[in-house]
Amino acid sequence: MQEQEFEIRIIPSLRAIDAQDWDACACPEATDGARPNDPFTTYRFLSALEESGSVGTGTGWQPQYLTAYVSGQLIGVAPMYVKSHSQGEYIFDHNWAHAYERAGGRYYPKLQIAVPHTPATGRRLLVRPGFEDAGTAALIQGAVQLADNNNISSLHLTFCTEEEAQRGAAIGLMLRKTQQFHWQNDSYAQFDDFLASLSSRKRKNIRKERRQAQNFGGEIHTITGDALQPEHWDAFWRFYQDTGARKWGTPYLTRRFFDIAQETLRDDIALVLAERNDRWVAGALNFIGAQALYGRYWGCTEHHPCLHFELCYYRAIDIAIEMGLDRVEAGAQGEHKLARGYLPNPTWSLHWVNDPSFANAIDSYLKAERDAVDEEINVLTEFGPFRRADVEEQE
């Protein structure tokens, strides 16, 4: 095969890229109108972040989209940002930043290839079919060269796929392994089929929690597509502000993002809302992919026992079963998810650090961290909620 020559360009706004060209790289499986595997790397989602001011000036996420061309054709893209902090990433490098700066270096700005504010695994090096190997290498090499030429401290690709992680590691990037909790659909026809796979104690506990939640004095609604209306976003914005103020100090997404979501993303969304006394009192926002449901945000104005578990975890399972999805990814952190049927799964990222001595120190740390993560996943899985024949017989 004749060696191809790639042209790498940095583009500061999605407005300068044709939506169909971007999506031909990001979600080629959806070009005929099918649902994309990853709703977060679509042009419409990333554009909503940009157009709403959730990224850009003043946010610490300055878009610098990485693009690769062959003979004038766009064959690869990556959502890349110049970062002035480490917020909204969920793969934590704060300690790296502190150590780098204590040693006299300047850690920020750094380059981040990621979906802002979104701890969901997906392709980060979005290459048009037929260019996978060469296009992926060209994007990585282009990003590293950009960082090196501009004396930027580091480059990070977070929540990439395992395949991308292995490709990146093979050409010299440092590999990081972390974990989060996912629910797997074992061809369940209904929620009770899932319950039957659990130990009797966990089964009883989940039934008890669902009864408590459903007796909160109102109704729970799952709303998607054209059934979503502006009033639902007015309510969810109140929930999101409350959660954001407690967790992050300032919510990451602007109010305008949810207005744009109503216009362009409603078919990608399942919003679970609790209504009591003709008022919306709690809600959970999910995004729908071709194979997975992604739990993203939760909030409430009234606190009721177990309502959080019902809206965020159990209703998500209901939706996944009804839609025939393979899994639910419930976001970052939270070992409390384990008792509710969500098992630990590895997540991956890639890192390049400009300073060789600092890079060696991080590489040693990452090797030890990977071993620790493997052990944690094994232990948590072993003591997970699913039934084992010998235990069931004793019970």
Side-chain angles (χ1 to χ4, degrees):
M1 182 175 179
Q2 186 176 3
E3 186 175 344
Q4 295 164 317
E5 185 173 324
F6 293 87
E7 179 187 358
I8 301 297
R9 303 178 194 170
I10 304 300
I11 300 190
S13 173
L14 277 178
R15 297 188 195 98
I17 304 174
D18 180 78
Q20 290 185 342
D21 283 344
W22 179 281
D23 284 344
C25 300
C27 51
E29 71 281 354
T31 53
D32 60 354
R35 193 178 292 282
N37 292 330
D38 183 353
F40 303 115
T41 53
T42 60
Y43 188 95
R44 57 184 177 268
F45 182 86
L46 295 170
S47 177
L49 290 177
E50 186 180 319
E51 295 299 325
S52 68
S54 300
V55 300
T57 304
T59 68
W61 289 86
Q62 192 62 42
Q64 294 287 291
Y65 302 104
L66 186 67
T67 63
Y69 293 80
V70 171
S71 302
Q73 181 188 28
L74 182 66
I75 62 88
V77 296
M80 188 170 72
Y81 302 83
V82 176
K83 291 295 306 295
S84 59
H85 54 62
S86 291
Q87 305 302 317
E89 296 170 12
Y90 302 94
I91 300 292
F92 302 113
D93 65 346
H94 299 89
N95 290 338
W96 301 0
H98 296 327
Y100 200 84
E101 291 175 358
R102 281 198 303 270
R106 184 185 179 197
Y107 194 73
Y108 304 107
K110 62 178 183 175
L111 290 181
Q112 190 88 18
I113 295 178
V115 177
H117 324 306
T118 307
T121 292
R123 288 192 305 131
R124 295 294 173 260
L125 305 165
L126 310 171
V127 178
R128 195 183 289 262
F131 295 89
E132 289 86 353
D133 292 336
T136 297
L139 288 171
I140 291 175
Q141 290 164 6
V144 169
Q145 183 176 345
L146 177 69
D148 194 24
N149 289 350
N150 290 276
N151 200 30
I152 292 174
S153 71
S154 53
L155 165 71
H156 311 266
L157 291 82
T158 46
F159 292 101
C160 61
T161 65
E162 183 176 3
E163 181 182 4
E164 286 177 322
Q166 298 302 331
R167 284 182 174 178
I171 59 175
L173 274 67
M174 294 182 289
L175 177 65
R176 191 171 193 183
K177 187 177 187 179
T178 48
Q179 60 96 5
Q180 60 181 207
F181 294 89
H182 301 167
W183 176 84
Q184 301 291 333
N185 187 356
D186 190 15
S187 301
Y188 301 122
Q190 55 189 350
F191 194 89
D192 281 346
D193 294 339
F194 157 62
L195 287 181
S197 70
L198 304 179
S199 68
S200 62
R201 183 178 303 173
K202 299 301 183 185
R203 192 161 57 237
K204 290 173 185 176
N205 184 64
I206 289 176
R207 284 179 174 146
K208 178 182 178 182
E209 288 185 343
R210 296 205 80 174
R211 283 195 302 269
Q212 282 185 296
Q214 292 167 12
N215 289 332
F216 78 106
E219 295 184 54
I220 299 173
H221 308 264
T222 298
I223 309 166
T224 187
D226 290 340
L228 283 166
Q229 297 298 319
E231 68 168 284
H232 301 133
W233 295 115
D234 290 338
F236 190 78
W237 173 246
R238 293 194 297 273
F239 309 147
Y240 176 71
Q241 280 185 300
D242 175 69
T243 301
R246 286 186 286 106
K247 280 192 173 184
W248 316 303
T250 302
Y252 293 140
L253 302 176
T254 66
R255 179 64 182 85
R256 175 64 178 148
F257 175 85
F258 297 103
D259 292 335
I260 296 174
Q262 171 65 20
E263 297 168 10
T264 64
L265 298 172
R266 60 181 181 269
D267 288 337
D268 300 324
I269 287 171
L271 188 60
V272 182
L273 291 176
E275 181 183 21
R276 182 173 177 270
N277 297 330
D278 296 321
R279 294 175 54 248
W280 302 113
V281 299
L285 176 63
N286 304 276
F287 280 81
I288 310 167
Q291 286 132 15
L293 186 76
Y294 301 90
R296 288 303 302 114
Y297 301 106
W298 142 269
C300 64
T301 54
E302 294 181 5
H303 295 276
H304 298 276
C306 300
L307 193 59
H308 170 247
F309 300 145
E310 176 68 17
L311 267 60
C312 291
Y313 307 136
Y314 302 141
R315 290 294 167 128
I317 291 173
D318 284 335
I319 294 168
I321 291 173
E322 181 180 349
M323 297 188 70
L325 301 176
D326 294 339
R327 65 190 185 281
V328 178
E329 296 194 17
Q333 304 173 321
E335 289 189 6
H336 61 280
K337 298 167 186 172
L338 185 67
R340 291 158 185 94
Y342 289 72
L343 292 179
N345 280 261
T347 51
W348 306 92
S349 58
L350 290 166
H351 307 269
W352 174 88
V353 173
N354 207 335
D355 182 274
S357 297
F358 197 68
N360 288 336
I362 289 178
D363 193 39
S364 296
Y365 167 79
L366 293 179
K367 289 175 182 175
E369 185 185 46
R370 289 196 296 272
D371 290 340
V373 168
D374 285 338
E375 182 177 358
E376 182 178 20
I377 289 175
N378 289 336
V379 169
L380 290 175
T381 301
E382 175 67 21
F383 290 96
F386 290 88
R387 63 187 297 180
R388 297 192 297 274
D390 55 339
V391 175
E392 288 294 296
E393 287 172 5
Q394 293 173 16
E395 292 176 339

